[in-house]
Amino acid sequence: MSTTRPLRVAVVGAGPAGIYASDILSKTDLDVSIDLFERLPAPFGLVRYGVAPDHPRIKQIIVALHKVLSRGDIRLLANVDYGVDLKLEDLRQFYDAVIFSTGSIKDAELNIPGIDLDGSYGAADFVSWYDGHPDVPRTWPLEAQQVAVIGAGNVALDVARILAKHAKDLLPTEIPANVHELLEKSPVTDVHVFARRGPAQVKFSPLELRELGHVPDVDIVVYPEDFDFDEGSEAAINSSNQTKQVVKTLVDWTLKDPAQNSASRRLHLHFLHAPAEVLGEDGKVVGFRTERTALQGDGTVKGTGEFTDWPVQAVYRAVGYFGSSLPEIPYDDVKGVITNREGRVVDIDGNQVPGVYATGWIKRGPVGLIGHTKSDASETIRHLVEDVTGVADGEAPGDLTGGRTAPQGTPEAVTEFLAGKGVDYIEWSGWELLDAHERALGEAAGRERIKVVPRDEMVSISRRS
């Protein structure tokens, strides 16, 4: 009987990428012991704190992730902040390998004049607010009647829809009570979404786009002069059923008689308008300037020198997410990712950093859907197994007992270390207490769930017995 201890692996980041990587690793031939670290008191990452409350279908991904963690073979250690509560040198003491899956949670920059004015916001911050993220304030300045949203993806649609939608129509969702209260007082009448390229180049999903047309008391307004299709557009339409559906929905809206618009709020979709400047007065947003663009035959655009000023009092940029650097981990500050080759972390000279890996958006950037995250995790885990066993996938099993390098490779060693530093780490049983508390709040208010629990209270609840 072998006395070799299990391979100890730490996964840092308990969103979908980290949970999928843990699940896939647990199903390999390796005898492995996995700890899943999370900075927040709650797991599930952007599925919990990055999906609009009126999208329960997408949030149902949590059900599958919940099943993985509830099995008991992957240990959750939440409310532990890498770089603060423990560092890479600490992880190397307790683990033979470390996988970083910290995602991309910041807004990508948009370098145009006026972007830092009061009333100019990042979509990621707004999404965190309306999803009840424990690290953001409970208030948000909803004072604008006219709003601009910059972006051509689903996050831009989410932001625009939440801003335009009447608060009462969000009541059946898991919207936090404080968010509903402020949205109810919002004076908004018009939300404008601006896309730099044409209708065939936007990144909206067909379902999300069609959903806009069913929001009560909100008219969708499009502009025929914004519709242009070059050879690149036609090629995109013919090669992608998704693009074809998006374009059809948009074109159908151009055929609607404007005289039929009678809603109290309007959601405008503008194409071929590049952001040029956020206009300000006394330090506050008073307008948004765009430059008309023209398609170049291959789906790209260039500016025409024709500018339009739009009277808005708030601007939201939804131009993408961006990864954050981590202490002691090689980082590409242009791409916003951990420097890696197919999940193996490499240093500035391109040499592999032993025992350190990456997966998810922090590995490849903030692109792709959940399916991409699974395949991405599979690639990283395949390389980890190759490094441990000494053989490539598909060859002989290799040395399944190799790779044990941690001096203190027991599950108790790391928890004793955290306890010694006074870290209130939360295990799965503690999370279940918190989850039950949130559900009880939701049931008391006649909703599915209300996430209004501050961070310190989340920790306190998870400690109850």
Side-chain angles (χ1 to χ4, degrees):
M1 182 175 177
S2 173
T3 58
T4 303
R5 65 167 174 81
L7 186 79
R8 292 280 289 146
V9 178
V11 180
V12 181
I19 296 175
Y20 288 141
S22 300
D23 184 40
I24 293 167
L25 178 59
S26 72
K27 296 174 180 176
T28 65
D29 292 333
L30 295 175
D31 179 16
V32 63
S33 170
I34 304 168
D35 284 346
L36 180 62
F37 289 90
E38 170 56 46
R39 182 181 67 85
L40 297 174
F44 309 129
L46 279 181
V47 180
R48 176 179 168 93
Y49 292 121
V51 176
D54 56 349
H55 276 174
R57 178 184 59 83
I58 300 176
K59 284 184 176 287
Q60 282 301 301
I61 295 169
I62 287 180
V63 174
L65 302 179
H66 189 286
K67 288 181 179 178
V68 173
L69 295 186
S70 65
R71 293 195 314 243
D73 58 333
I74 298 166
R75 184 170 64 169
L76 175 68
L77 294 173
N79 201 46
V80 180
D81 191 359
Y82 171 78
V84 176
D85 298 323
L86 77 177
K87 300 179 180 179
L88 182 61
E89 62 187 68
D90 302 318
L91 290 173
R92 288 193 182 280
Q93 288 294 307
F94 308 121
Y95 300 97
D96 307 303
V98 182
I99 303 171
F100 287 94
S101 56
T102 49
S104 302
I105 59 174
K106 296 193 306 182
D107 284 289
E109 293 184 356
L110 179 62
N111 294 316
I112 60 173
I115 198 65
D116 294 325
L117 286 167
D118 184 10
S120 175
Y121 310 107
D125 292 334
F126 184 60
V127 171
S128 292
W129 172 72
Y130 68 56
D131 268 331
H133 195 293
D135 286 351
V136 302
R138 292 288 177 252
T139 60
W140 191 271
L142 294 170
E143 302 164 351
Q145 286 187 295
Q146 294 88 26
V147 178
V149 179
I150 309 168
N154 286 341
V155 174
L157 291 188
D158 284 347
V159 169
R161 189 183 65 258
I162 293 296
L163 287 168
K165 204 168 189 175
H166 289 277
K168 64 182 178 63
D169 295 317
L170 289 165
L171 273 175
T173 75
E174 58 177 29
I175 186 170
N178 62 299
V179 175
H180 175 265
E181 180 182 347
L182 290 177
L183 286 173
E184 198 169 31
K185 299 174 182 176
S186 172
V188 69
T189 59
D190 293 83
V191 179
H192 299 261
V193 179
F194 294 93
R196 184 174 57 87
R197 296 194 290 171
Q201 286 79 41
V202 295
K203 301 302 181 182
F204 308 145
S205 69
L207 185 62
E208 291 241 3
L209 184 63
R210 288 195 298 268
E211 182 183 357
L212 293 185
H214 300 288
V215 178
D217 196 33
V218 176
D219 283 327
I220 304 301
V221 183
V222 295
Y223 300 85
E225 62 269 25
D226 288 352
F227 282 69
D228 189 19
F229 301 95
D230 60 358
E231 291 183 8
S233 301
E234 296 296 341
I237 293 169
N238 292 331
S239 63
S240 169
N241 188 52
Q242 177 166 303
T243 301
K244 186 179 299 182
Q245 292 180 58
V246 166
V247 170
K248 182 182 185 305
T249 298
L250 292 170
V251 170
D252 285 347
W253 282 337
T254 68
L255 304 177
K256 181 181 177 182
D257 183 359
Q260 296 178 2
N261 291 341
S262 59
S264 66
R265 293 180 177 180
R266 291 157 294 281
L267 202 161
H268 309 254
L269 299 176
H270 304 273
F271 306 101
L272 301 174
H273 283 275
E277 182 176 357
V278 179
L279 306 175
E281 187 174 297
D282 297 327
K284 296 182 178 295
V285 172
V286 297
F288 180 57
R289 178 171 294 164
T290 62
E291 181 181 10
R292 169 66 76 178
T293 60
L295 289 164
Q296 298 302 291
D298 58 357
T300 63
V301 296
K302 73 173 183 178
T304 64
E306 176 188 344
F307 294 89
T308 304
D309 291 351
W310 307 86
V312 300
Q313 300 82 50
V315 174
Y316 292 76
R317 67 184 186 279
V319 295
Y321 288 93
F322 201 77
S324 301
S325 62
L326 298 167
E328 304 174 271
I329 306 301
Y331 177 74
D332 186 330
D333 57 8
V334 175
K335 297 179 180 178
V337 299
I338 290 174
T339 310
N340 72 94
R341 282 195 303 267
E342 297 184 343
R344 289 179 170 118
V345 174
V346 297
D347 63 20
I348 193 171
D349 297 318
N351 300 314
Q352 182 179 347
V353 179
V356 183
Y357 304 85
T359 192
W361 281 4
I362 199 62
K363 167 188 172 183
R364 58 184 163 82
V367 293
L369 303 175
I370 292 296
H372 297 93
T373 302
K374 287 183 178 180
S375 60
D376 189 54
S378 295
E379 179 183 67
T380 295
I381 297 304
R382 184 176 71 251
H383 288 317
L384 185 154
V385 172
E386 289 174 2
D387 293 342
V388 169
T389 62
V391 296
D393 185 41
E395 298 180 7
D399 182 9
L400 297 178
T401 64
R404 275 66 171 173
T405 59
Q408 303 180 57
T410 65
E412 297 78 19
V414 66
T415 52
E416 290 173 0
F417 172 82
L418 293 172
K421 294 189 67 175
V423 178
D424 283 323
Y425 62 87
I426 298 172
E427 297 189 66
W428 181 251
S429 58
W431 155 245
E432 288 183 310
L433 288 173
L434 175 59
D435 188 44
H437 177 77
E438 289 184 335
R439 290 182 183 277
L441 286 178
E443 291 170 1
R447 304 188 189 111
E448 182 180 342
R449 184 187 298 180
I450 303 179
K451 299 194 293 283
V452 295
V453 184
R455 187 187 187 109
D456 55 351
E457 187 178 341
M458 294 175 84
V459 176
S460 176
I461 292 166
S462 71
R463 291 298 181 205
R464 294 176 187 170
S465 59

